[in-house]
């Protein structure tokens, strides 16, 4: 679904990504892990159009997206959920979700059909739709952000550290609804600092270091790798004493 080839780029003339090659299988949940500053979130920004690579190709579902505007990337079916503070607290839950369908605003019938479908996938929209978003817990806000991202019926959802600042109960909500989005046919590429959570949820894993891909493979392969996991995160391999 996603093919990133030879991508280099960054900010202010400084390359954060260095000749990055990444393949994300169609229909999979792929998780990127790595130390702070490794370039994980920069990969997501490059795919979503928030950052234009200096060189390289970003293909999604066979279409070249590198250099397109964020709105054009949205129309191509790629949406991104930011790390945090993505909701407007004074607006209702329902209003926040409807903002995800901004590109459909002139087609009210289609917009309402999508809202009904999203409300079935995320019951919090029906249960608390009239309440201000500021009244929700951190985990509940994250679910509303997921719901908003699904309004355009995307083919790819990019999740930037979805568990950041959440308690254990909220982690389970994030896990359940990430799987729910994936089961609806969405390919998910996520960045996650909680390594055990991210690689436990994903089917495929990628380790980044200093702007390059250090390791890629199945999530189990990455999760149990004896050298890189210890080197980057100070974690013993899964199953080790």
């Amino acid at each position: 679904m996603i093919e990133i080839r030879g991508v280099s780029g960054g900010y202010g003339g400084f390359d954060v990504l260095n000749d990055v090659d990444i393949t994300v299988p169609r229909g999979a949940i792929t998780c990127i892990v790595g130390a702070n500053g490794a370039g994980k979130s920069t990969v997501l920004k490059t795919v979503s159009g928030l950052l234009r690579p200096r060189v390289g190709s970003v293909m999604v579902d066979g279409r070249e997206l590198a250099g397109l505007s964020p709105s054009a990337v949205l129309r191509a079916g790629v949406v991104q959920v930011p790390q945090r503070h993505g909701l407007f607290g004074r607006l209702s839950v329902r209003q926040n979700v409807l903002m995800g369908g901004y590109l459909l605003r002139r087609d009210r019938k289609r917009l309402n059909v999508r809202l009904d479908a999203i409300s079935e996938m995320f019951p919090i929209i029906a249960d608390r739709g009239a309440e201000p978003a500021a009244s929700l817990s951190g985990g509940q806000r994250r679910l509303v952000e997921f719901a908003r991202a699904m309004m355009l019926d995307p083919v790819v959802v990019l999740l930037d550290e979805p568990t950041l600042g959440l308690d254990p109960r909220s982690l389970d909500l994030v896990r359940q609804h990430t799987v729910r989005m994936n089961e609806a046919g969405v390919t998910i590429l996520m960045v996650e600092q909680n390594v055990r959570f991210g690689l436990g949820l994903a089917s495929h894993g990628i380790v980044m270091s200093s702007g390059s891909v250090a390791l890629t493979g199945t999530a189990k392969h990455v999760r149990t790798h004896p050298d890189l996991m210890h080197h980057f995160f100070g974690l013993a391999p899964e199953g080790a004493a």
Side-chain angles (χ1 to χ4, degrees):
M1 176 60 75
I2 304 174
E3 292 280 350
I4 299 172
R5 291 289 174 261
V7 165
S8 297
Y11 314 94
F14 175 76
D15 281 353
V16 175
L17 303 180
N18 301 294
D19 196 24
V20 168
D21 291 334
I22 289 175
T23 297
V24 176
R26 185 182 302 274
I29 300 176
T30 299
C31 181
I32 304 176
V33 298
N36 288 335
K40 306 181 300 297
S41 293
T42 304
V43 170
L44 297 192
K45 291 177 180 178
T46 302
V47 177
S48 68
L50 294 175
L51 178 69
R52 296 191 177 193
R54 182 174 57 79
V55 295
S57 173
V58 179
M59 302 284 290
V60 174
D61 203 17
R63 179 179 178 183
E64 178 63 66
L65 299 187
L68 296 184
S69 68
S71 61
V73 174
L74 274 176
R75 290 186 175 90
V78 180
V79 297
Q80 179 169 351
V81 178
Q83 281 186 10
R84 59 194 311 173
H85 306 310
L87 299 183
F88 295 89
R90 294 185 179 181
L91 297 183
S92 71
V93 169
R94 185 175 184 274
Q95 287 171 327
N96 270 280
V97 174
L98 282 171
M99 291 184 70
Y102 180 77
L103 296 180
L104 307 177
R105 63 192 183 280
R106 292 186 176 87
D107 189 343
R108 299 298 300 182
K109 182 178 180 180
R110 184 180 175 194
L111 190 65
N112 288 329
V113 167
R114 283 303 299 162
L115 182 62
D116 289 343
I118 296 307
S119 296
E120 289 186 13
M121 186 180 297
F122 298 89
I124 192 174
I125 309 307
D127 296 342
R128 303 186 64 176
E131 298 180 30
S135 68
L136 302 179
S137 69
Q140 291 167 337
R141 292 186 187 192
R142 186 55 90 191
L143 298 190
V144 174
E145 291 171 352
F146 284 6
R148 182 175 61 188
M150 292 294 289
M151 278 295 291
L152 290 178
D153 197 13
V155 295
V156 171
V157 171
L158 309 173
L159 303 179
D160 195 354
E161 298 196 30
T163 69
L164 185 65
L166 299 185
D167 58 54
R169 184 170 180 271
S170 296
L171 294 186
D172 192 50
L173 286 175
V174 168
R175 179 184 293 105
Q176 292 176 25
H177 287 81
T178 300
V179 170
R180 192 168 295 178
M181 289 190 293
N182 182 240
E183 289 176 344
V186 175
T187 299
I188 294 175
L189 176 61
M190 62 187 292
V191 163
E192 185 52 69
Q193 282 289 83
N194 186 332
V195 178
R196 294 199 187 279
F197 175 90
L199 294 180
L201 174 62
S203 54
H204 295 74
I206 298 165
V207 176
M208 293 194 66
S209 176
S210 301
S212 299
V213 174
L215 174 68
T216 185
T218 66
K220 181 178 181 180
H221 171 68
V222 174
R223 188 170 68 241
T224 59
H225 195 282
D227 298 322
L228 287 177
M229 291 300 291
H230 176 74
H231 177 72
F232 289 125
F233 310 111
L235 298 174
E238 190 173 278

